[in-house]
Amino acid sequence: MNKKIIFSAILLGCISASPITVGFWGQKSSDQEQNLLRYCMSSNWDVINVAFVSEFGTSGYTEVNLAGHTAVNCRYDGDCASVGDEVTACQQTYGKKILLSLGGAAGGYGISSTTQANDVADEIWNNFLGGTSSVRPFGSAVFDGVDFDIEGSRQAQAPYYATLANRLRSYFPSTRNYYISASPQCVFPDAVLGPDGTSTGTLLSAAQVDWVNVQFYNNGFDACDGCNIFGYNYANRLAQWATWAATEQTYFLIGAPGASGVRFADPNGGCQGGFVSLETLESALSQACDDYPSSFG
């Protein structure tokens, strides 16, 4: 498959024995990743996360970085209206769900208080989802929800992401479906997103999510400790997420890099970032569907 028409990461599940695919778009340069609409035209994808909102909260402003897909980052009204037109076409013409992913491995984002969490939720709702604002970076496009991909040393901020998510969900009307997903690393619990087993703690303990995109790739030192698909500790990690998802009556998906050309920073040197062959990925998907039919995707 042509690497230029493949996402930097894919997440797969098996609701009703029919695989569901979620892709991340926006973090490969335009010579490596085609425009959003090109992927929406394919039947391979059900949900696409546009990544990332890399500045918000403690940054002092909110901005989407699409890694060169746009002439400027998406901060002011209409900055990325052309991408917004593609978002709308993806939804209306091709029936895709398009979410906006918050965070990523880089960027100056963060949340330092409950007040700030609520303020960021209001801004996300009004500027990108179903609210109204004089600042709509993607023009009239209305995203179908948000994904939380919170990484780095942000453990102290963990409770505020639950506050943000709960505030956002309070705005969701009954007349349209909006979604909240999370993309934790495969180590259980995730250092920032959790779960931590309390009702007032991390996002995955104190907020409702519709599904989780578990990253069995790009996990730093733990990549050599079994986090990659079929690594020696993979089965244990998978079981932990499956048990949690079943308890919470939600779903988890298996995340993997979408192409062999995708490489992530690896402090161990010997691990390859988590890419596996299509045959290996299909085997992992089949096994998870068989072993965890009630909670896998």
Side-chain angles (χ1 to χ4, degrees):
M1 186 176 291
N2 189 330
K3 294 176 185 176
K4 291 187 178 180
I5 58 170
I6 206 162
F7 287 88
S8 57
I10 56 175
L11 301 305
L12 301 103
C14 59
I15 291 178
S16 301
S18 178
I20 289 178
T21 53
V22 178
F24 279 78
W25 176 87
Q27 286 303 293
K28 301 296 289 183
S29 60
S30 57
D31 65 329
Q32 296 179 296
E33 188 176 59
Q34 296 189 17
N35 62 30
L36 177 63
L37 191 59
R38 169 64 182 82
Y39 298 101
C40 291
M41 294 169 67
S42 169
S43 60
N44 291 335
W45 309 103
D46 302 298
V47 180
I48 299 175
N49 293 336
V50 172
F52 287 108
V53 185
S54 59
E55 306 291 346
F56 60 82
T58 53
S59 301
Y61 59 95
T62 299
E63 183 175 272
V64 181
N65 184 327
L66 296 179
H69 282 281
T70 52
V72 296
N73 288 343
C74 314
R75 179 175 177 182
Y76 299 108
D77 190 55
D79 274 349
C80 300
S82 61
V83 176
D85 290 341
E86 293 186 30
V87 169
T88 301
C90 288
Q91 296 164 325
Q92 295 182 358
T93 304
Y94 299 103
K96 309 300 183 184
K97 300 300 182 184
I98 310 296
L99 275 60
L100 192 60
S101 189
L102 311 181
Y109 68 89
I111 303 289
S112 62
S113 68
T114 297
T115 297
Q116 190 171 68
N118 288 329
D119 288 344
V120 170
D122 292 350
E123 189 170 10
I124 297 296
W125 173 254
N126 290 323
N127 291 9
F128 303 103
L129 275 68
T132 58
S133 171
S134 61
V135 180
R136 299 278 301 190
F138 293 90
S140 60
V142 178
F143 285 85
D144 292 299
V146 298
D147 171 69
F148 285 81
D149 188 343
I150 309 302
E151 302 182 28
S153 300
R154 295 180 168 88
Q155 289 89 334
Q157 304 172 11
Y160 303 127
Y161 292 104
T163 301
L164 195 166
N166 287 328
R167 175 80 160 204
L168 266 180
R169 192 172 289 278
S170 73
Y171 290 127
F172 293 177
S174 59
T175 53
R176 172 175 173 167
N177 289 329
Y178 288 92
Y179 304 93
I180 293 175
S181 66
S183 296
Q185 295 183 322
C186 73
V187 180
F188 186 93
D190 181 89
V192 180
L193 297 176
D196 68 352
T198 72
S199 61
T200 57
T202 59
L203 175 76
L204 296 181
S205 291
Q208 177 188 348
V209 296
D210 296 291
W211 65 84
V212 291
N213 311 306
V214 183
Q215 299 182 46
F216 288 96
Y217 62 94
N218 193 20
N219 288 283
F221 284 99
D222 204 75
C224 288
D225 185 30
C227 256
N228 291 354
I229 293 174
F230 290 141
Y232 70 84
N233 205 25
Y234 165 77
N236 291 331
R237 303 295 192 198
L238 195 69
Q240 288 174 312
W241 284 109
T243 299
W244 171 81
T247 301
E248 295 297 318
Q249 296 184 322
T250 189
Y251 302 97
F252 77 99
L253 284 73
I254 291 175
S260 59
V262 176
R263 288 290 181 263
F264 302 96
D266 177 17
N268 287 298
C271 300
Q272 294 296 311
F275 177 77
V276 295
S277 68
L278 178 60
E279 291 76 13
T280 300
L281 188 58
E282 288 175 338
S283 178
L285 174 63
S286 177
Q287 179 175 311
C289 288
D290 289 342
D291 292 346
Y292 308 109
S294 65
S295 57
F296 178 51

